[in-house]
Amino acid sequence: MTTSVNTTKVYEEIIEFIAAGTTPQSVIDFKLSDSAKERLENLVYRARTEG
C-alpha cells in the first residue's frame, strides 16, 4: 500500500460522469481513474485496519 497522500475524491469523479450524461453503454464502460482507484483502495485498507 502506498503512503502518498492522494486527494482524489472518488464521489466527485462519479458525479461528474453522471452529470455529463450517461447511456447504458457508457455506464457499462465506466472506469475510475487510476488516482481514484488508489484513493479508494487506501480508504478501504484504512477502514479495515484502523476501524
Side-chain angles (χ1 to χ4, degrees), residues 8-50:
T8 300
K9 294 182 179 172
V10 176
Y11 67 89
E12 287 181 356
E13 194 167 315
I14 295 169
I15 290 170
E16 288 176 13
F17 164 73
I18 294 169
T22 61
T23 65
Q25 189 61 47
S26 68
V27 172
I28 292 169
D29 295 339
F30 178 73
K31 303 256 188 283
L32 288 172
S33 67
D34 289 340
S35 61
K37 286 180 195 176
E38 183 179 334
R39 174 70 174 149
L40 187 56
E41 289 172 1
N42 184 299
L43 291 171
V44 169
Y45 174 80
R46 286 175 46 199
R48 288 183 178 168
T49 59
E50 298 174 14

